[in-house]
Amino acid sequence: MRRFDGDRLVVATHNMGKLEEIADLLSPYGVTLTSNADHGLPEPEETETTFVGNARIKAHAAAKATGLPALADDSGIEIDGLGGAPGVYTADWAETPHGRDFVMAMERAWAELEAVNAPFPRVARFCCTLVLAWPDGHDEVFPGVMPGQIVWPMRGDQGHGYDPIFQPDGYDQTFGEMDRWEKNKISHRADAFAKLKACFG
């Protein structure tokens, strides 16, 4: 594994919430983080059908454009009763002409599970793949997973995305009911970051 030995890292996102989360996780390492927005970079088109493929597109685009190492993630929810959908299309299910509507996306997920009479528990997992890319084209990949199940009705107004219908294994709360920073300690992203830290340690 290639070690990260610099002091500047581009986080290939325009999502300030994600940047905050990553800054918190990397705070012990004294790395200065900037985002795509800080460099005026556009969001590259995500044309792959896997989390790692899309994370690679984002990380390499940012590293090439800035000449700095770049970190990207691609994440989503896989629902066994729907054949692993929505997967890489997790955010697409929420797209409307007026922005993203995750209530609509959660209603769709539940309606489709009901339509196929999916058995209980309705097993699912949140997945996160981190890719750390260097300007020379090298990258390291760190997958993370949080297993759980889909529940209904929606519970909680914390978090984002599909959090109100996802109950992680070993907990009686949904991600939507958990404190954001507590959730971050056990999430799929935390699992991926635990592996990423080997590059920084």
Side-chain angles (χ1 to χ4, degrees), residues 18-193:
K18 191 175 287 187
L19 186 67
E20 276 180 26
E21 230 175 272
I22 291 172
D24 181 59
L25 289 160
L26 292 182
S27 58
Y29 302 101
V31 179
T32 300
L33 300 183
T34 53
S35 70
N36 274 2
D38 295 320
H39 296 277
L41 301 180
E43 291 279 11
E45 195 176 346
E46 296 176 32
T47 53
E48 294 292 321
T49 56
T50 61
F51 295 122
V52 65
N54 285 327
R56 275 193 162 120
I57 286 172
K58 292 183 276 192
H60 284 286
K64 188 175 178 181
T66 63
L68 294 166
L71 179 68
D73 90 323
D74 199 49
S75 53
I77 190 166
E78 296 178 338
I79 303 172
D80 284 6
L82 302 181
V88 295
Y89 306 107
T90 292
D92 295 346
W93 278 28
E95 292 293 352
T96 77
H98 313 290
R100 288 179 178 171
D101 180 347
F102 280 101
V103 170
M104 177 188 78
M106 289 185 280
E107 287 171 344
R108 175 181 171 183
W110 188 257
E112 292 197 11
L113 284 166
E114 291 286 277
V116 297
N117 200 23
F120 290 90
R122 290 177 164 173
V123 174
R125 69 203 56 78
F126 267 117
C127 303
C128 169
T129 300
L130 292 169
V131 171
L132 178 60
W134 280 262
D136 67 0
H138 181 83
D139 66 38
E140 298 285 349
V141 177
F142 309 93
V145 175
M146 182 72 222
Q149 61 179 297
I150 300 300
V151 298
W152 198 262
M154 296 174 238
R155 304 199 320 249
D157 56 6
Q158 304 297 309
H160 46 78
Y162 296 70
D163 286 357
I165 62 168
F166 181 80
Q167 183 174 309
D169 284 353
Y171 295 85
D172 56 10
Q173 289 182 308
T174 66
F175 268 179
E177 294 172 299
M178 289 184 182
D179 173 80
R180 173 186 171 191
W181 299 107
E182 288 303 308
K183 183 196 93 170
N184 287 353
K185 292 176 185 173
I186 64 162
S187 72
H188 47 305
R189 193 165 285 126
D191 184 31
F193 263 94

